[in-house]
PDB file of all heavy atoms in Angstrom:
ATOM      1  N   LYS A   1       8.261 -49.068   5.368  1.00 88.00           N
ATOM      2  CA  LYS A   1       7.063 -49.647   5.931  1.00 88.00           C
ATOM      3  C   LYS A   1       7.179 -49.823   7.444  1.00 88.00           C
ATOM      4  O   LYS A   1       6.198 -49.723   8.154  1.00 88.00           O
ATOM      5  CB  LYS A   1       6.692 -50.938   5.223  1.00 88.00           C
ATOM      6  CG  LYS A   1       7.695 -52.062   5.321  1.00 88.00           C
ATOM      7  CD  LYS A   1       7.236 -53.241   4.473  1.00 88.00           C
ATOM      8  CE  LYS A   1       8.250 -54.353   4.519  1.00 88.00           C
ATOM      9  NZ  LYS A   1       7.841 -55.478   3.703  1.00 88.00           N
ATOM     10  N   TYR A   2       8.412 -50.048   7.921  1.00 89.00           N
ATOM     11  CA  TYR A   2       8.581 -50.214   9.362  1.00 89.00           C
ATOM     12  C   TYR A   2       8.327 -48.917  10.111  1.00 89.00           C
ATOM     13  O   TYR A   2       7.744 -48.916  11.196  1.00 89.00           O
ATOM     14  CB  TYR A   2       9.976 -50.750   9.683  1.00 89.00           C
ATOM     15  CG  TYR A   2      10.235 -52.124   9.106  1.00 89.00           C
ATOM     16  CD1 TYR A   2      11.369 -52.383   8.364  1.00 89.00           C
ATOM     17  CD2 TYR A   2       9.324 -53.162   9.295  1.00 89.00           C
ATOM     18  CE1 TYR A   2      11.603 -53.649   7.830  1.00 89.00           C
ATOM     19  CE2 TYR A   2       9.549 -54.424   8.761  1.00 89.00           C
ATOM     20  CZ  TYR A   2      10.695 -54.655   8.030  1.00 89.00           C
ATOM     21  OH  TYR A   2      10.915 -55.905   7.512  1.00 89.00           O
ATOM     22  N   ALA A   3       8.736 -47.809   9.521  1.00 91.00           N
ATOM     23  CA  ALA A   3       8.487 -46.510  10.155  1.00 91.00           C
ATOM     24  C   ALA A   3       6.988 -46.238  10.232  1.00 91.00           C
ATOM     25  O   ALA A   3       6.495 -45.708  11.235  1.00 91.00           O
ATOM     26  CB  ALA A   3       9.198 -45.404   9.384  1.00 91.00           C
ATOM     27  N   ILE A   4       6.266 -46.598   9.198  1.00 93.00           N
ATOM     28  CA  ILE A   4       4.814 -46.399   9.190  1.00 93.00           C
ATOM     29  C   ILE A   4       4.158 -47.241  10.293  1.00 93.00           C
ATOM     30  O   ILE A   4       3.324 -46.735  11.043  1.00 93.00           O
ATOM     31  CB  ILE A   4       4.213 -46.741   7.804  1.00 93.00           C
ATOM     32  CG1 ILE A   4       4.677 -45.702   6.774  1.00 93.00           C
ATOM     33  CG2 ILE A   4       2.694 -46.814   7.865  1.00 93.00           C
ATOM     34  CD1 ILE A   4       4.328 -46.044   5.340  1.00 93.00           C
ATOM     35  N   ILE A   5       4.568 -48.485  10.418  1.00 92.00           N
ATOM     36  CA  ILE A   5       3.992 -49.356  11.447  1.00 92.00           C
ATOM     37  C   ILE A   5       4.313 -48.813  12.838  1.00 92.00           C
ATOM     38  O   ILE A   5       3.449 -48.787  13.721  1.00 92.00           O
ATOM     39  CB  ILE A   5       4.500 -50.808  11.295  1.00 92.00           C
ATOM     40  CG1 ILE A   5       4.055 -51.396   9.963  1.00 92.00           C
ATOM     41  CG2 ILE A   5       4.038 -51.662  12.472  1.00 92.00           C
ATOM     42  CD1 ILE A   5       2.554 -51.440   9.738  1.00 92.00           C
ATOM     43  N   ASN A   6       5.539 -48.358  13.047  1.00 91.00           N
ATOM     44  CA  ASN A   6       5.894 -47.792  14.351  1.00 91.00           C
ATOM     45  C   ASN A   6       5.083 -46.549  14.669  1.00 91.00           C
ATOM     46  O   ASN A   6       4.638 -46.360  15.807  1.00 91.00           O
ATOM     47  CB  ASN A   6       7.390 -47.472  14.420  1.00 91.00           C
ATOM     48  CG  ASN A   6       8.188 -48.629  14.952  1.00 91.00           C
ATOM     49  OD1 ASN A   6       7.700 -49.426  15.739  1.00 91.00           O
ATOM     50  ND2 ASN A   6       9.431 -48.726  14.533  1.00 91.00           N
ATOM     51  N   LEU A   8       2.119 -45.884  13.527  1.00 93.00           N
ATOM     52  CA  LEU A   8       0.759 -46.342  13.817  1.00 93.00           C
ATOM     53  C   LEU A   8       0.658 -46.843  15.255  1.00 93.00           C
ATOM     54  O   LEU A   8      -0.324 -46.563  15.949  1.00 93.00           O
ATOM     55  CB  LEU A   8       0.341 -47.450  12.847  1.00 93.00           C
ATOM     56  CG  LEU A   8       0.035 -47.031  11.425  1.00 93.00           C
ATOM     57  CD1 LEU A   8      -0.249 -48.250  10.558  1.00 93.00           C
ATOM     58  CD2 LEU A   8      -1.122 -46.049  11.370  1.00 93.00           C
ATOM     59  N   THR A   9       1.669 -47.552  15.701  1.00 91.00           N
ATOM     60  CA  THR A   9       1.693 -48.031  17.083  1.00 91.00           C
ATOM     61  C   THR A   9       1.686 -46.858  18.056  1.00 91.00           C
ATOM     62  O   THR A   9       0.980 -46.872  19.064  1.00 91.00           O
ATOM     63  CB  THR A   9       2.921 -48.931  17.321  1.00 91.00           C
ATOM     64  OG1 THR A   9       2.861 -50.041  16.419  1.00 91.00           O
ATOM     65  CG2 THR A   9       2.964 -49.452  18.747  1.00 91.00           C
ATOM     66  N   MET A  26      -4.770 -51.928  12.183  1.00 94.00           N
ATOM     67  CA  MET A  26      -3.352 -52.277  12.246  1.00 94.00           C
ATOM     68  C   MET A  26      -3.124 -53.656  11.639  1.00 94.00           C
ATOM     69  O   MET A  26      -2.187 -53.835  10.851  1.00 94.00           O
ATOM     70  CB  MET A  26      -2.858 -52.240  13.696  1.00 94.00           C
ATOM     71  CG  MET A  26      -1.418 -52.717  13.850  1.00 94.00           C
ATOM     72  SD  MET A  26      -0.211 -51.646  13.050  1.00 94.00           S
ATOM     73  CE  MET A  26       0.272 -50.677  14.450  1.00 94.00           C
ATOM     74  N   ASP A  27      -3.974 -54.605  11.968  1.00 93.00           N
ATOM     75  CA  ASP A  27      -3.844 -55.953  11.405  1.00 93.00           C
ATOM     76  C   ASP A  27      -3.919 -55.920   9.885  1.00 93.00           C
ATOM     77  O   ASP A  27      -3.152 -56.610   9.201  1.00 93.00           O
ATOM     78  CB  ASP A  27      -4.915 -56.894  11.967  1.00 93.00           C
ATOM     79  CG  ASP A  27      -4.663 -57.277  13.413  1.00 93.00           C
ATOM     80  OD1 ASP A  27      -3.534 -57.073  13.920  1.00 93.00           O
ATOM     81  OD2 ASP A  27      -5.612 -57.786  14.054  1.00 93.00           O
ATOM     82  N   SER A  28      -4.813 -55.115   9.350  1.00 96.00           N
ATOM     83  CA  SER A  28      -4.940 -55.041   7.893  1.00 96.00           C
ATOM     84  C   SER A  28      -3.697 -54.417   7.253  1.00 96.00           C
ATOM     85  O   SER A  28      -3.253 -54.862   6.195  1.00 96.00           O
ATOM     86  CB  SER A  28      -6.194 -54.266   7.488  1.00 96.00           C
ATOM     87  OG  SER A  28      -6.049 -52.880   7.726  1.00 96.00           O
ATOM     88  N   ILE A  29      -3.119 -53.427   7.918  1.00 95.00           N
ATOM     89  CA  ILE A  29      -1.891 -52.802   7.392  1.00 95.00           C
ATOM     90  C   ILE A  29      -0.727 -53.787   7.468  1.00 95.00           C
ATOM     91  O   ILE A  29       0.077 -53.887   6.536  1.00 95.00           O
ATOM     92  CB  ILE A  29      -1.555 -51.498   8.162  1.00 95.00           C
ATOM     93  CG1 ILE A  29      -2.665 -50.462   7.959  1.00 95.00           C
ATOM     94  CG2 ILE A  29      -0.197 -50.947   7.753  1.00 95.00           C
ATOM     95  CD1 ILE A  29      -2.853 -49.988   6.531  1.00 95.00           C
ATOM     96  N   LEU A  30      -0.626 -54.541   8.566  1.00 92.00           N
ATOM     97  CA  LEU A  30       0.438 -55.547   8.687  1.00 92.00           C
ATOM     98  C   LEU A  30       0.340 -56.568   7.555  1.00 92.00           C
ATOM     99  O   LEU A  30       1.354 -56.958   6.967  1.00 92.00           O
ATOM    100  CB  LEU A  30       0.361 -56.239  10.053  1.00 92.00           C
ATOM    101  CG  LEU A  30       0.729 -55.390  11.266  1.00 92.00           C
ATOM    102  CD1 LEU A  30       0.406 -56.142  12.556  1.00 92.00           C
ATOM    103  CD2 LEU A  30       2.184 -54.974  11.238  1.00 92.00           C
ATOM    104  N   VAL A  31      -0.880 -56.981   7.223  1.00 94.00           N
ATOM    105  CA  VAL A  31      -1.080 -57.917   6.115  1.00 94.00           C
ATOM    106  C   VAL A  31      -0.706 -57.248   4.796  1.00 94.00           C
ATOM    107  O   VAL A  31       0.025 -57.818   3.975  1.00 94.00           O
ATOM    108  CB  VAL A  31      -2.539 -58.441   6.081  1.00 94.00           C
ATOM    109  CG1 VAL A  31      -2.826 -59.201   4.791  1.00 94.00           C
ATOM    110  CG2 VAL A  31      -2.806 -59.321   7.293  1.00 94.00           C
ATOM    111  N   ASP A  32      -1.184 -56.024   4.576  1.00 95.00           N
ATOM    112  CA  ASP A  32      -0.891 -55.311   3.333  1.00 95.00           C
ATOM    113  C   ASP A  32       0.611 -55.127   3.125  1.00 95.00           C
ATOM    114  O   ASP A  32       1.100 -55.192   1.999  1.00 95.00           O
ATOM    115  CB  ASP A  32      -1.562 -53.934   3.312  1.00 95.00           C
ATOM    116  CG  ASP A  32      -3.068 -54.016   3.176  1.00 95.00           C
ATOM    117  OD1 ASP A  32      -3.589 -55.104   2.837  1.00 95.00           O
ATOM    118  OD2 ASP A  32      -3.737 -52.991   3.408  1.00 95.00           O
ATOM    119  N   PHE A  33       1.346 -54.895   4.221  1.00 93.00           N
ATOM    120  CA  PHE A  33       2.787 -54.667   4.154  1.00 93.00           C
ATOM    121  C   PHE A  33       3.593 -55.962   4.279  1.00 93.00           C
ATOM    122  O   PHE A  33       4.812 -55.934   4.299  1.00 93.00           O
ATOM    123  CB  PHE A  33       3.232 -53.694   5.238  1.00 93.00           C
ATOM    124  CG  PHE A  33       2.865 -52.252   5.000  1.00 93.00           C
ATOM    125  CD1 PHE A  33       2.114 -51.849   3.917  1.00 93.00           C
ATOM    126  CD2 PHE A  33       3.294 -51.282   5.888  1.00 93.00           C
ATOM    127  CE1 PHE A  33       1.781 -50.520   3.720  1.00 93.00           C
ATOM    128  CE2 PHE A  33       2.986 -49.946   5.698  1.00 93.00           C
ATOM    129  CZ  PHE A  33       2.221 -49.563   4.610  1.00 93.00           C
ATOM    130  N   SER A  34       2.904 -57.095   4.414  1.00 93.00           N
ATOM    131  CA  SER A  34       3.548 -58.408   4.576  1.00 93.00           C
ATOM    132  C   SER A  34       4.528 -58.432   5.744  1.00 93.00           C
ATOM    133  O   SER A  34       5.650 -58.912   5.637  1.00 93.00           O
ATOM    134  CB  SER A  34       4.277 -58.815   3.285  1.00 93.00           C
ATOM    135  OG  SER A  34       3.385 -58.886   2.211  1.00 93.00           O
ATOM    136  N   ILE A  35       4.079 -57.909   6.873  1.00 91.00           N
ATOM    137  CA  ILE A  35       4.918 -57.859   8.067  1.00 91.00           C
ATOM    138  C   ILE A  35       4.502 -58.994   9.006  1.00 91.00           C
ATOM    139  O   ILE A  35       3.335 -59.142   9.344  1.00 91.00           O
ATOM    140  CB  ILE A  35       4.810 -56.493   8.762  1.00 91.00           C
ATOM    141  CG1 ILE A  35       5.412 -55.443   7.837  1.00 91.00           C
ATOM    142  CG2 ILE A  35       5.507 -56.501  10.119  1.00 91.00           C
ATOM    143  CD1 ILE A  35       5.365 -54.046   8.342  1.00 91.00           C
ATOM    144  N   THR A  36       5.501 -59.779   9.413  1.00 86.00           N
ATOM    145  CA  THR A  36       5.261 -60.907  10.301  1.00 86.00           C
ATOM    146  C   THR A  36       5.398 -60.470  11.754  1.00 86.00           C
ATOM    147  O   THR A  36       5.867 -59.369  12.047  1.00 86.00           O
ATOM    148  CB  THR A  36       6.271 -62.034  10.035  1.00 86.00           C
ATOM    149  OG1 THR A  36       7.579 -61.565  10.397  1.00 86.00           O
ATOM    150  CG2 THR A  36       6.253 -62.470   8.575  1.00 86.00           C
ATOM    151  N   THR A  37       5.028 -61.347  12.651  1.00 80.00           N
ATOM    152  CA  THR A  37       5.173 -61.081  14.087  1.00 80.00           C
ATOM    153  C   THR A  37       6.639 -60.846  14.434  1.00 80.00           C
ATOM    154  O   THR A  37       6.966 -59.950  15.215  1.00 80.00           O
ATOM    155  CB  THR A  37       4.611 -62.261  14.905  1.00 80.00           C
ATOM    156  OG1 THR A  37       3.266 -62.488  14.504  1.00 80.00           O
ATOM    157  CG2 THR A  37       4.675 -61.978  16.391  1.00 80.00           C
ATOM    158  N   ILE A  38       7.524 -61.621  13.848  1.00 82.00           N
ATOM    159  CA  ILE A  38       8.964 -61.468  14.104  1.00 82.00           C
ATOM    160  C   ILE A  38       9.435 -60.093  13.628  1.00 82.00           C
ATOM    161  O   ILE A  38      10.181 -59.413  14.336  1.00 82.00           O
ATOM    162  CB  ILE A  38       9.761 -62.600  13.437  1.00 82.00           C
ATOM    163  CG1 ILE A  38       9.407 -63.934  14.096  1.00 82.00           C
ATOM    164  CG2 ILE A  38      11.264 -62.338  13.517  1.00 82.00           C
ATOM    165  CD1 ILE A  38       9.929 -65.150  13.375  1.00 82.00           C
ATOM    166  N   ASP A  39       9.015 -59.670  12.437  1.00 82.00           N
ATOM    167  CA  ASP A  39       9.364 -58.332  11.941  1.00 82.00           C
ATOM    168  C   ASP A  39       8.886 -57.266  12.920  1.00 82.00           C
ATOM    169  O   ASP A  39       9.613 -56.336  13.243  1.00 82.00           O
ATOM    170  CB  ASP A  39       8.705 -58.053  10.575  1.00 82.00           C
ATOM    171  CG  ASP A  39       9.239 -58.907   9.457  1.00 82.00           C
ATOM    172  OD1 ASP A  39      10.407 -59.318   9.512  1.00 82.00           O
ATOM    173  OD2 ASP A  39       8.469 -59.171   8.513  1.00 82.00           O
ATOM    174  N   TYR A  40       7.650 -57.431  13.375  1.00 77.00           N
ATOM    175  CA  TYR A  40       7.034 -56.450  14.273  1.00 77.00           C
ATOM    176  C   TYR A  40       7.826 -56.334  15.570  1.00 77.00           C
ATOM    177  O   TYR A  40       8.065 -55.239  16.070  1.00 77.00           O
ATOM    178  CB  TYR A  40       5.577 -56.832  14.550  1.00 77.00           C
ATOM    179  CG  TYR A  40       4.800 -55.777  15.276  1.00 77.00           C
ATOM    180  CD1 TYR A  40       4.366 -54.641  14.613  1.00 77.00           C
ATOM    181  CD2 TYR A  40       4.505 -55.908  16.628  1.00 77.00           C
ATOM    182  CE1 TYR A  40       3.647 -53.656  15.273  1.00 77.00           C
ATOM    183  CE2 TYR A  40       3.789 -54.933  17.299  1.00 77.00           C
ATOM    184  CZ  TYR A  40       3.367 -53.815  16.618  1.00 77.00           C
ATOM    185  OH  TYR A  40       2.671 -52.846  17.290  1.00 77.00           O
ATOM    186  N   GLU A  41       8.276 -57.451  16.109  1.00 77.00           N
ATOM    187  CA  GLU A  41       9.057 -57.427  17.351  1.00 77.00           C
ATOM    188  C   GLU A  41      10.384 -56.703  17.165  1.00 77.00           C
ATOM    189  O   GLU A  41      10.854 -56.008  18.062  1.00 77.00           O
ATOM    190  CB  GLU A  41       9.286 -58.855  17.848  1.00 77.00           C
ATOM    191  CG  GLU A  41       8.021 -59.507  18.378  1.00 77.00           C
ATOM    192  CD  GLU A  41       8.178 -60.978  18.690  1.00 77.00           C
ATOM    193  OE1 GLU A  41       9.294 -61.515  18.523  1.00 77.00           O
ATOM    194  OE2 GLU A  41       7.177 -61.587  19.094  1.00 77.00           O
ATOM    195  N   HIS A  42      11.002 -56.830  16.007  1.00 75.00           N
ATOM    196  CA  HIS A  42      12.278 -56.159  15.738  1.00 75.00           C
ATOM    197  C   HIS A  42      12.119 -54.655  15.523  1.00 75.00           C
ATOM    198  O   HIS A  42      13.066 -53.902  15.692  1.00 75.00           O
ATOM    199  CB  HIS A  42      12.971 -56.784  14.533  1.00 75.00           C
ATOM    200  CG  HIS A  42      13.485 -58.160  14.786  1.00 75.00           C
ATOM    201  ND1 HIS A  42      14.531 -58.417  15.629  1.00 75.00           N
ATOM    202  CD2 HIS A  42      13.069 -59.359  14.326  1.00 75.00           C
ATOM    203  CE1 HIS A  42      14.752 -59.710  15.682  1.00 75.00           C
ATOM    204  NE2 HIS A  42      13.864 -60.313  14.900  1.00 75.00           N
ATOM    205  N   MET A  43      10.934 -54.232  15.167  1.00 76.00           N
ATOM    206  CA  MET A  43      10.694 -52.812  14.904  1.00 76.00           C
ATOM    207  C   MET A  43      10.584 -51.987  16.172  1.00 76.00           C
ATOM    208  O   MET A  43      10.655 -50.773  16.128  1.00 76.00           O
ATOM    209  CB  MET A  43       9.406 -52.633  14.088  1.00 76.00           C
ATOM    210  CG  MET A  43       9.537 -53.073  12.676  1.00 76.00           C
ATOM    211  SD  MET A  43       8.053 -52.668  11.745  1.00 76.00           S
ATOM    212  CE  MET A  43       6.928 -53.909  12.351  1.00 76.00           C
ATOM    213  N   GLU A  44      10.397 -52.633  17.294  1.00 71.00           N
ATOM    214  CA  GLU A  44      10.196 -51.902  18.546  1.00 71.00           C
ATOM    215  C   GLU A  44      11.389 -51.036  18.932  1.00 71.00           C
ATOM    216  O   GLU A  44      11.271 -50.158  19.773  1.00 71.00           O
ATOM    217  CB  GLU A  44       9.858 -52.883  19.675  1.00 71.00           C
ATOM    218  CG  GLU A  44       8.523 -53.546  19.481  1.00 71.00           C
ATOM    219  CD  GLU A  44       8.209 -54.568  20.549  1.00 71.00           C
ATOM    220  OE1 GLU A  44       9.067 -54.828  21.410  1.00 71.00           O
ATOM    221  OE2 GLU A  44       7.096 -55.114  20.522  1.00 71.00           O
ATOM    222  N   MET A  46      12.891 -48.891  16.970  1.00 77.00           N
ATOM    223  CA  MET A  46      12.886 -47.612  16.249  1.00 77.00           C
ATOM    224  C   MET A  46      12.258 -46.536  17.137  1.00 77.00           C
ATOM    225  O   MET A  46      11.168 -46.724  17.661  1.00 77.00           O
ATOM    226  CB  MET A  46      12.068 -47.716  14.956  1.00 77.00           C
ATOM    227  CG  MET A  46      12.707 -48.516  13.868  1.00 77.00           C
ATOM    228  SD  MET A  46      11.699 -48.506  12.357  1.00 77.00           S
ATOM    229  CE  MET A  46      12.114 -46.925  11.659  1.00 77.00           C
TER     230      MET A  46
END
Side-chain angles (χ1 to χ4, degrees):
K1 62 185 178 181
Y2 297 129
I4 292 171
I5 297 301
N6 269 331
L8 287 175
T9 301
M26 175 66 97
D27 288 345
S28 73
I29 297 297
L30 291 172
V31 169
D32 290 346
F33 286 4
S34 300
I35 294 179
T36 66
T37 305
I38 294 170
D39 293 331
Y40 189 75
E41 289 172 1
H42 290 291
M43 288 186 285
E44 293 177 356
M46 288 183 80

